[in-house]
Amino acid sequence: MTEAKRKKKSVLWSKMHMPHCEDFKQWCRRRLPILEWATHYNLKENLLPDAVSGIMLAVQQVTQGLAFAVLSSVHPVFGLYGSLFPAIIYAIFGMGRHVATGTFALTSLISANAVERLVPLNSQNLTTQSNTSVLGLSDFEMQRIGVAAAVSFLGGVIQVAMFVLQLGSATFLLTEPVISAMTTGAATHVVTSQVKYLLGMKMPYISGPLGFFYIYAYVFENIKSVQLEALLLSLLSIVVLVLVKELNEQFKRKIKIVLPVDLVLIIAASFTCYCTNMENTYGLEVVGHIPKGIPPPRAPPMNILSAVITEAFGVALVGYVASLALAQGSAKKFKYSVDDNQEFLAHGLSNVIPSFFFCIPSAAAMGRTAVLYSTGAKTQVACLISCIFILIVIYAIGPLLYWLPMCVLASIIVVGLKGMLIQFRDLKKYWNVDKIDWGIWVSTYIFTICFAANVGLLFGVVCTIAIVIGRFPRAKTLSIKNMKEMEFKVKTEMDDETLQQVKIISINNPLVFLNVKKFHADLMNIIQKENASNQPLDEISKCEQNTLLNSLSNGICNEEATQPCLNQKCSLILDCSGLTFSDYSGVSMLVEVYTDCKNKSVDVSLVHCTASLIKAMKYWGNLDSEKPIFFESVSAAISNIHLNKNLSKLSDHSEI
């Protein structure tokens, strides 16, 4: 009896503990995405493209690391560390397969505010000039990187705290126009900060509200102090960079490996400056000594965390928003998913851990992500391979960059921001799709250049919420129609087989950025579910459901809304009579739904659409011009489906 009890107890014990073990494994796979993709990594198919992408990415990481370290007002060598450690951490915790984390212009610019405020340049004379034991750098340089590392540490802690609070679900408030305007405005700030290097001018550090305008006022007041040699070298560098990159873009399909023009320019400029002794002959500012090796880790100065909290919040929000936009874009392009909350953890740890290795704040950059796209990278292995080459630069090649002119480095920064700056072209798109989004873009951009990126981001989010709250009360929440009349008309004119292939779904709320994800998920669930049993004819009215329920809420689809399409080809009718208005996100989602359904061989018809919606959809997407998709009524759409079916039958008979 005792033995039986013992066995029963052991069985119960195993049942209690087995789920916990499985839960832990599942938690590890969810929080360590590298465990998910590394186990399925195909060496034969993926290693070569990842290796090529890693080499090209290393070139970008090194050049941008040096440039963005200078932008962050610290010694250039710390930019190399900032290109190494965050990339390794993100490869372990991040979900974006084509996201290259490292130094970033916007976060560098934000951290520079704290560095220049707490360790200004004029304090260099007051600081002891003795070299420290860390890489032989001066106390002044170590104090500066200490401030930047503190900003990185606290910014990462804030991001991890947001992960713990599950604030990734609130990212729907960050609409595309707001992100586009904020990043464009911040890129404008970065270009402005490089003017002194492009012109070879000695200029005091200027920041704060309206600092953007004060910088240009100072430049025009001191225009006579422009260094002609630096200006000509800057113009030549920009022309070469833009021209070669455009040629690479034009011929990227014909050539497998693009020319690393950034690396070629750095080598050519450094060699020319060394041979002609431009530093002494023309007074051209150069990068200077870059020490070898990586110093032992050291904790950031915790006593200044309270002094950098403003910059830390800016780094946490701006860096995350810009990185998430790139991760979501790559996920959409290559058909995989990204957890918004997991990205908080990945970028938070990519800032916290590297801060102990003298790294400046990090985030994903558009230029590096574009390199991974163009070179055919498959996974984060490309980023890990790039880290190997960055280590080679740190331990061997770094000192050779002594003679690199600062104006060339500034030119690389400016050209690298091209992808952000050309977002001005989005203004035409927003004007044609939704003029309110156009107004949000312009106002967010103005606030960003007048104040700062984090202020512009906050203004854009608040402005967007206020406008949506103002528009929703005027929206018609529910449209009720007499389906019996339409059903009777259809029964008398159509055969049952046609009706069994039709899904009628009514959109009964405005379609805006708040509910587009829920709308897409509900609609795809209806289309993708399959059932072998036939749907009775009198059930067709049940196909019409609210996929978008109450305003400003997620809502739950009714069971009747998830009735499956048949295994045979289905037709989907979207009744837009309740769609009183839609913004840019809503229009793009409707076009995306149309494209997805078309790829799944599901015909889509839209009825009761407003003229503005039809115009916006035609402008936004390449809709099928051969088949009509907009109809005045549900009956007209069903008649068209029946006509197309008869035509297909006739064509089949003629082929036989």
Side-chain angles (χ1 to χ4, degrees):
M1 188 69 181
T2 308
E3 187 67 25
K5 284 184 177 180
R6 205 173 281 167
K7 285 183 179 179
K8 188 176 181 181
K9 188 175 181 181
S10 65
V11 170
L12 289 172
W13 183 260
S14 63
K15 284 184 178 179
M16 288 173 63
H17 282 76
M18 281 299 290
H20 291 290
C21 183
E22 289 298 321
D23 289 344
F24 178 73
K25 289 180 180 178
Q26 189 176 3
W27 182 88
C28 287
R29 285 196 298 268
R30 192 168 66 251
R31 296 306 169 207
L32 297 169
I34 191 172
L35 299 178
E36 191 71 30
W37 60 261
T39 53
H40 303 96
Y41 189 77
N42 191 324
L43 284 171
K44 183 181 285 188
E45 292 184 5
N46 298 338
L47 185 59
L48 181 59
D50 280 344
V52 173
S53 298
I55 295 170
M56 301 303 296
L57 177 62
V59 174
Q60 282 268 25
Q61 288 276 38
V62 169
T63 54
Q64 291 187 354
L66 295 171
F68 295 154
V70 173
L71 182 61
S72 193
S73 297
V74 298
H75 194 280
V77 72
F78 299 119
L80 297 178
Y81 306 153
S83 300
L84 174 66
F85 293 104
I88 297 173
I89 303 300
Y90 184 84
I92 298 171
F93 293 94
M95 297 187 72
R97 299 174 195 170
H98 300 80
V99 173
T101 303
T103 55
F104 184 45
L106 307 189
T107 54
S108 296
L109 189 64
I110 293 171
S111 68
N113 292 332
V115 172
E116 293 288 351
R117 188 179 76 252
L118 297 178
V119 191
L121 194 61
N122 55 20
S123 68
Q124 186 173 8
N125 298 327
L126 305 176
T127 307
T128 306
Q129 292 300 310
S130 61
N131 291 339
T132 65
S133 58
V134 181
L135 301 175
L137 297 174
S138 66
D139 291 333
F140 175 75
E141 292 291 354
M142 296 311 299
Q143 288 178 15
R144 287 202 147 196
I145 188 57
V147 174
V151 173
S152 178
F153 174 81
L154 187 55
V157 169
I158 292 170
Q159 289 175 328
V160 173
M162 289 178 174
F163 159 75
V164 173
L165 296 173
Q166 300 288 303
L167 293 183
S169 57
T171 54
F172 69 90
L173 295 172
L174 304 171
T175 62
E176 185 177 328
V178 171
I179 296 174
S180 173
M182 183 274 293
T183 52
T184 307
T188 308
H189 270 298
V190 175
V191 171
T192 302
S193 69
Q194 297 304 297
V195 167
K196 62 179 180 180
Y197 297 116
L198 295 172
L199 302 179
M201 294 179 65
K202 299 293 182 182
M203 183 187 302
Y205 183 78
I206 301 173
S207 64
L210 304 180
F212 173 84
F213 302 101
Y214 291 139
I215 290 174
Y216 286 106
Y218 183 91
V219 169
F220 286 115
E221 287 175 2
N222 299 272
I223 197 71
K224 293 181 179 179
S225 63
V226 171
Q227 196 173 8
L228 187 60
E229 294 81 8
L231 176 59
L232 292 176
L233 190 54
S234 300
L235 291 175
L236 180 62
S237 301
I238 290 173
V239 169
V240 170
L241 287 168
V242 171
L243 184 61
V244 176
K245 289 189 176 186
E246 285 297 323
L247 291 174
N248 283 340
E249 188 68 23
Q250 290 290 328
F251 297 102
K252 65 180 180 181
R253 293 183 180 178
K254 297 181 180 179
I255 53 176
K256 293 183 178 180
I257 301 177
V258 296
L259 177 65
V261 61
D262 294 358
L263 179 63
V264 173
L265 181 63
I266 285 177
I267 295 173
S270 301
F271 183 74
T272 304
C273 187
Y274 171 76
C275 293
T276 58
N277 195 18
M278 288 185 180
E279 182 185 16
N280 298 320
T281 306
Y282 303 107
L284 208 62
E285 189 176 358
V286 296
V287 169
H289 174 63
I290 296 181
K292 289 183 181 180
I294 299 175
R298 179 191 294 179
M302 301 297 172
N303 59 325
I304 64 170
L305 293 183
S306 59
V308 300
I309 191 167
T310 304
E311 287 81 9
F313 266 105
V315 164
L317 294 176
V318 173
Y320 173 75
V321 168
S323 302
L324 182 65
L326 293 174
Q328 289 177 337
S330 66
K332 187 175 180 181
K333 184 180 180 69
F334 295 98
K335 309 297 181 186
Y336 61 90
S337 61
V338 169
D339 183 356
D340 297 350
N341 212 52
Q342 177 66 21
E343 290 297 292
F344 261 131
L345 177 64
H347 288 290
L349 294 178
S350 297
N351 276 312
V352 171
I353 297 174
S355 68
F356 289 83
F357 293 89
F358 306 96
C359 293
I360 60 179
S362 65
M366 185 181 293
R368 296 194 296 267
T369 302
V371 167
L372 293 179
Y373 283 171
S374 60
T375 52
K378 302 295 182 183
T379 64
Q380 279 288 327
V381 170
C383 296
L384 295 176
I385 291 174
S386 74
C387 293
I388 298 173
F389 290 93
I390 294 171
L391 278 171
I392 294 173
V393 173
I394 290 173
Y395 280 96
I397 305 175
L400 300 178
L401 300 173
Y402 178 97
W403 297 96
L404 176 62
M406 291 296 296
C407 60
V408 173
L409 209 52
S411 302
I412 292 173
I413 293 178
V414 171
V415 176
L417 294 170
K418 176 191 168 188
M420 293 184 184
L421 294 172
I422 62 174
Q423 290 179 134
F424 277 109
R425 297 186 301 190
D426 293 345
L427 282 172
K428 181 182 177 182
K429 178 172 62 178
Y430 296 130
W431 179 263
N432 284 281
V433 175
D434 184 22
K435 292 178 176 57
I436 292 181
D437 277 343
W438 181 89
I440 291 174
W441 196 103
V442 172
S443 58
T444 302
Y445 176 79
I446 292 173
F447 262 75
T448 301
I449 63 170
C450 288
F451 300 98
N454 51 345
V455 176
L457 180 65
L458 181 62
F459 170 81
V461 171
V462 171
C463 188
T464 303
I465 294 173
I467 288 173
V468 170
I469 292 174
R471 294 171 82 179
F472 257 75
R474 299 196 303 271
K476 186 166 58 174
T477 58
L478 184 65
S479 64
I480 301 174
K481 64 166 68 178
N482 189 354
M483 288 297 295
K484 295 292 182 183
E485 292 181 4
M486 190 201 74
E487 188 177 325
F488 175 76
K489 181 178 180 182
V490 169
K491 279 182 180 179
T492 57
E493 295 182 2
M494 307 294 177
D495 59 346
D496 293 350
E497 188 181 354
T498 301
L499 290 176
Q500 287 176 353
Q501 299 178 48
V502 177
K503 289 286 179 188
I504 306 172
I505 301 174
S506 179
I507 306 174
N508 293 329
N509 267 329
L511 193 57
V512 293
F513 72 96
L514 289 169
N515 52 16
V516 289
K517 288 186 178 179
K518 185 69 172 68
F519 166 75
H520 184 267
D522 291 342
L523 196 57
M524 290 300 106
N525 285 337
I526 294 172
I527 295 169
Q528 289 173 356
K529 288 187 178 180
E530 295 183 353
N531 192 343
S533 61
N534 291 333
Q535 183 184 359
L537 178 63
D538 57 357
E539 293 283 321
I540 189 169
S541 61
K542 294 183 180 180
C543 288
E544 180 176 81
Q545 295 292 339
N546 278 342
T547 56
L548 302 177
L549 300 181
N550 294 329
S551 303
L552 297 170
S553 67
N554 289 332
I556 301 174
C557 277
N558 297 337
E559 293 180 1
E560 295 146 333
T562 57
Q563 288 289 335
C565 284
L566 299 177
N567 289 334
Q568 56 187 317
K569 185 174 180 179
C570 294
S571 296
L572 177 66
I573 298 176
L574 292 179
D575 184 359
C576 302
S577 57
L579 185 56
T580 51
F581 69 85
S582 59
D583 65 357
Y584 175 84
S585 301
V587 173
S588 61
M589 181 56 70
L590 281 175
V591 175
E592 183 180 338
V593 164
Y594 170 79
T595 306
D596 289 345
C597 291
K598 187 178 178 183
N599 294 335
K600 292 177 172 32
S601 298
V602 177
D603 292 329
V604 179
S605 302
L606 285 85
V607 301
H608 300 127
C609 298
T610 61
S612 59
L613 177 62
I614 295 173
K615 179 183 176 183
M617 286 188 68
K618 286 182 177 179
Y619 177 84
W620 171 250
N622 295 321
L623 304 179
D624 195 342
S625 58
E626 296 180 359
K627 296 180 181 178
I629 63 170
F630 300 104
F631 299 92
E632 294 182 356
S633 64
V634 176
S635 300
I638 294 179
S639 300
N640 182 72
I641 293 168
H642 182 66
L643 179 62
N644 289 336
K645 180 187 171 185
N646 290 337
L647 290 174
S648 63
K649 283 182 178 180
L650 288 173
S651 63
D652 291 341
H653 285 304
S654 63
E655 287 178 4
I656 295 172

